[in-house]
Amino acid sequence: MPIEIPAVVIDRLPTYARALTFLEDQGRDVVSSQELGTILGVTPAQIRKDLSYFGRFGKQGRGYNVRRLALELRQILGLDRQWSMILIGVGHLGQAILTYDGFQPQGFIIVDAFDVNEGVVGSKVGGVNVHAVSELREYLQKRQVDIGIVAVPADEAAPIIADLIAGGVRSILNYAPTSVPVPERVQIKNIDPVLALQSMTFYLKNGGVE
Amino acid sequence: MPIEIPAVVIDRLPTYARALTFLEDQGRDVVSSQELGTILGVTPAQIRKDLSYFGRFGKQGRGYNVRRLALELRQILGLDRQWSMILIGVGHLGQAILTYDGFQPQGFIIVDAFDVNEGVVGSKVGGVNVHAVSELREYLQKRQVDIGIVAVPADEAAPIIADLIAGGVRSILNYAPTSVPVPERVQIKNIDPVLALQSMTFYLKNGGVE
DNA sequence: TGCTGTGAATCGATTCACAGCG
DNA sequence: CGCTGTGAATCGATTCACAGCA
C-alpha cells in the first residue's frame, strides 16, 4: 500500500498553493514553513508534515523555493489542467454561479447548464447554454464531465445527485442546503453559508461575557 | 471548567437541526439515532455522543422526540432569535448575497451594506442601503452588529476584517478567496468554492483507475 | 426488547523535538 | 547556523460495547 494520505491534508494543499502564488507575484523566491504558517494561520510543523507526504521540496537551512513548490503543488492537485463542469439549477443562485468570474481563471470551466424551468431552457446565461434537466442522463452518456455543480432546491438535490453519479460524475459541488450521502468513490463538497452562520451563533450566544 | 465542547460537534449540530425540521414537516414524532444517521450519513454513535454534551434528550428503547429535540437544538445554537449582519462588498458576489432569499427565513438579517465604489454607494440593493466603506468604522461604533459578511476582492479582505474586529464584530463569514488569521475570540468561516474544487481534483486525477 | 447515554478503547491528526544537511 | 524532514509523543475525535432504563 502506498501510504494513505489524510483527506485533511489534501484540503489544506490548495491554501498552500494559493499563498505560494501570492508570494510568486510578490517576486519572492524563498519561503520558510515558519513564514508560510504565519500567512495562513497554521503551524510550521503542520506544513512540513503535510508536504512530506509528497516529497522533499525544501532545502535545509533555507526553506522552500517558491516557484518550485508552487509548481509541485499545482501538479499534485491537478491545477495545471482544465476541468469541465456542468451546472444543474439555473435559478437566482445558479445564475450567480454562471456569471461568477472566479472559476474560469483557475481552470474550472462550466460547459453546460440544466434546469427544469421551461422559461430558461434554451437560453444562454453567462455564455452557457441551458438545457432541460430531462436531458441530463442522456447528456452524461455522450459527454465526459469532471464535476457537477448542484444549485437546485433542497428537495430536488438527491435525485439530481443520483443522476450525476449514475452518469459517471465523480466530484460534486453541492450548493443545495441538504446533506446527501454518496458512495465512497464519489467526492461531494457542500457550500452552505447558512450552516456556517448557524454554528457561529452558538459562540455568539455563549462565549460573550468571559 | 464546564467541559469544553469540541468545535466539530458544534459544526454538526446545525445539520441535525435541519434534518429534525425536515422530519417535523413530515409529521414524524420520534426518531432514533440510527435513522437520523442514515439521513445524514453519520454514525448513530456520533449523534448520541454529540447530543450527550448538552443533555439527555432521548428515551431508551424509543429514540428522540422530534419536536422536542429540534427545539432544544435551536435553542442551544441560538436559532430561536434573529441575528443582524452587515455586508461589505457589493460587487457581483455581494449583490447575489443581498438578493439571496435563504438567510432571512433562518433569522439572519442583512441590515446594511458597504462598498468603495461611488457608483453603488447611496443605492439600495435587495432592499438594503449601500454605504461608503469609509463610514464602516464609525457605523460600528454606533450600531451593534452580530455578523460581518465579507465579499470584497482578496487583497482588500484583511483590512476590512481588521475593521470589523476593531468594531466589535465577533463572527465573520468570509467569501473573499484568502485566509485571514483572526484572534481566538473571533469566529471566521470561509466560503470558498474554488478551494473545494481544487481539493476534489486531487482525487479526480488519482483514484480514477483502481 | 430496543434504544439511549457513556466510559473505555481505538483510531487519526497535530505537535514536539531533534538528527542531519546545505 | 537555520531550517527541513520525520519518527515519537501527545492530543483529540470517533467508535465500541454494554449497563440501564422505558
Side-chain angles (χ1 to χ4, degrees), chain A residues 6 8 12 43 45-46 48-49 59-61:
Chain A
V8 280
R12 279 190 294 264
T43 65
Q46 182 155 83
R48 295 201 303 275
K49 176 68 97 177
K59 293 259 184 293
Q60 281 120 327

Side-chain angles (χ1 to χ4, degrees), chain A residues 4-16:
Chain A
E4 194 53 66
I5 296 162
V8 280
V9 172
I10 304 301
D11 286 343
R12 279 190 294 264
L13 295 188
T15 66
Y16 300 168

Side-chain angles (χ1 to χ4, degrees), chain B:
Chain B
M1 259 170 301
I3 333 159
E4 196 51 65
I5 297 163
V8 279
V9 172
I10 304 301
D11 286 343
R12 279 190 294 264
L13 295 188
T15 66
Y16 299 168
R18 182 181 278 167
L20 288 161
T21 300
F22 171 77
L23 289 168
E24 253 182 325
D25 293 347
Q26 304 267 310
R28 292 288 307 279
D29 42 49
V30 172
V31 70
S32 66
S33 59
Q34 173 67 245
E35 184 181 3
L36 204 48
T38 304
I39 295 172
L40 293 168
V42 158
T43 64
Q46 182 156 84
I47 293 173
R48 296 201 302 276
K49 175 70 97 179
D50 286 353
L51 296 177
S52 77
Y53 283 101
F54 302 95
R56 307 160 60 130
F57 307 116
K59 293 259 184 293
Q60 280 119 329
R62 291 191 38 74
Y64 300 88
N65 177 295
V66 172
R67 167 176 290 279
R68 156 99 192 290
L69 186 55
L71 280 167
E72 293 277 6
L73 286 179
R74 281 182 212 127
Q75 215 211 308
I76 289 164
L77 290 167
L79 308 183
D80 51 357
R81 59 179 82 172
Q82 293 207 333
W83 298 95
S84 65
M85 312 197 292
I86 57 173
L87 170 76
I88 297 89
V90 190
H92 265 102
L93 180 56
Q95 299 196 17
I97 291 167
L98 285 172
T99 54
Y100 177 57
D101 59 4
F103 291 133
Q104 178 115 15
Q106 300 298 320
F108 295 97
I109 317 295
I110 301 177
V111 295
D112 277 296
F114 296 84
D115 201 287
V116 277
N117 179 3
E118 287 297 329
V120 76
V121 169
S123 73
K124 257 193 177 197
V125 179
V128 176
N129 289 314
V130 182
H131 309 274
V133 161
S134 55
E135 292 169 25
L136 177 58
R137 281 181 161 266
E138 193 186 357
Y139 176 96
L140 288 171
Q141 306 219 317
K142 293 193 207 119
R143 301 249 212 153
Q144 197 257 325
V145 169
D146 298 311
I147 298 162
I149 304 180
V150 177
V152 300
D155 56 310
E156 296 169 29
I160 293 294
I161 288 170
D163 283 354
L164 289 170
I165 295 171
V169 174
R170 281 162 45 223
S171 293
I172 294 165
L173 190 65
N174 179 38
Y175 282 84
T178 178
S179 321
V180 180
V182 296
E184 194 159 355
R185 69 174 193 285
V186 177
Q187 292 280 309
I188 188 164
K189 296 264 185 186
N190 299 301
I191 301 290
D192 200 325
V194 171
L195 234 44
L197 293 170
Q198 289 180 331
S199 57
M200 290 198 295
T201 53
F202 174 81
Y203 297 99
L204 284 178
K205 191 166 153 297
N206 309 301
V209 265
E210 267 145 54

